[in-house]
């Protein structure tokens, strides 16, 4: 239903707005923005009732105070050291809270960043690019959704996200396979499928973290070689401290990421 271009080069305003706010502050700003606009276009809010009573879906009053506004992309609030992130999981909606809970319990969860896309159309190309770009050592990018592959936001968001990823990176899909119905209709089966897909988002982390350790060792080895040679200039020492990453043209394709992608397709 949306006329939002895939490449993000808009020559006109979108015909509709499709959002999935995951916090009370986001919903507040969304409603306020819609009412304050001079010309209102249709606004679709894809939010289940469970978010209204979910204990973890809360916002501070400061998030609705002066100088705040609706944010199309929400970064992972638990990440303090972006350079340690090896996998970026992109989600939209309430599934974030299930994945965030698993991340907090996983021993390697600190190497995973969960990014929320709160507005699907117009798609936030620039905001999402800036968020992903800070994870310069990330080698695995995942779109996770609880809907079937032919439903939900994946088919719309995937080609837009792929254009924002580093070279040689592919967006992996984690979720239910194609289905004519949006859910099985059997509560126990639905819960088992949900547990399986959220757990799958954290598979293969050990290999990705091993890549990060190898890279770090290589950086330190290069620094020692620089120091053992004749006195180097300040510029060469600084360049030796900057790790090569997937956002540079010379960065290698990580074997662990390729293996994880292959296992995800099987």
């Amino acid at each position: 239903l949306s006329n939002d271009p895939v490449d993000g080069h808009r020559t006109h305003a979108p015909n509709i707005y499709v959002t999935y706010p995951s916090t009370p502050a986001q919903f507040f700003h969304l409603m306020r923005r819609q009412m304050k606009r001079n010309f209102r276009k249709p606004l679709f809010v894809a939010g289940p009732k469970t978010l209204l009573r979910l204990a973890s879906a809360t916002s501070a009053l400061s998030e609705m105070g002066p100088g705040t506004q609706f944010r199309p992309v929400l970064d992972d609030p638990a990440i303090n050291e972006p350079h340690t992130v090896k996998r970026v999981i992109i989600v939209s909606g309430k599934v974030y809270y299930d994945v965030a809970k698993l991340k907090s319990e996983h021993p390697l969860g600190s190497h995973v960043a969960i990014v929320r896309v709160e507005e699907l159309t117009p798609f936030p190309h620039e905001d999402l690019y800036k968020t992903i770009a800070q994870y310069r050592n990330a080698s695995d990018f995942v779109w996770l959704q609880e809907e079937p592959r032919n439903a939900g936001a994946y088919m719309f968001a995937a080609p837009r996200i792929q254009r924002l990823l580093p070279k040689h990176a592919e967006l992996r899909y984690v979720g239910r396979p194609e289905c004519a119905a949006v859910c099985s209709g059997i509560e126990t089966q639905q819960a088992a499928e949900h547990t399986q897909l959220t757990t799958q988002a954290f598979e293969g982390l050990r290999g990705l973290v091993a890549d990060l350790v190898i890279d770090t060792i290589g950086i330190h080895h290069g620094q020692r070689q620089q120091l053992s040679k004749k006195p180097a200039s300040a510029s060469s020492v600084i360049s030796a401290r900057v790790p090569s990453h997937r956002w540079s043209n010379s960065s290698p394709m990580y074997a662990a990421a390729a293996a994880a992608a292959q296992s995800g397709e099987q």
Side-chain angles (χ1 to χ4, degrees), residues 35-89:
M35 296 302 298
K36 294 288 290 183
R37 279 179 167 161
N38 295 328
F39 185 81
R40 299 175 194 163
K41 292 191 176 182
L43 170 65
F44 295 86
V45 180
K49 292 183 292 184
T50 53
L51 279 179
L52 299 177
R53 57 180 181 269
L54 189 63
S56 54
T58 59
S59 299
L61 286 176
S62 58
E63 298 179 51
M64 293 172 269
T68 58
Q69 60 183 357
F70 177 77
R71 294 182 291 169
V73 176
L74 294 181
D75 197 6
D76 194 329
I79 296 297
N80 297 320
E81 299 179 338
H83 66 277
T84 63
V85 171
K86 291 297 296 179
R87 175 176 293 168
V88 177
I89 301 177

Side-chain angles (χ1 to χ4, degrees), residues 181-200:
V182 294
C183 64
S184 63
I186 304 175
E187 184 177 358
T188 55
Q189 180 179 345
Q190 185 78 4
E193 292 174 351
H194 185 79
T195 301
Q196 180 182 1
L197 69 90
T198 52
T199 305
Q200 185 182 352

Side-chain angles (χ1 to χ4, degrees), residues 6 90 120 123 125 128 143 145 149 152-165 170-173:
V6 175
I90 306 173
L120 296 169
F123 195 79
H125 296 266
L128 185 57
W143 173 273
Q145 67 178 31
R149 186 168 186 152
Y154 173 73
M155 302 298 290
F156 179 84
R160 292 163 171 81
I161 297 175
Q162 185 61 52
R163 298 175 63 90
L164 308 178
L165 298 184
E170 294 291 336
L171 181 68
R172 293 196 298 118
Y173 170 78

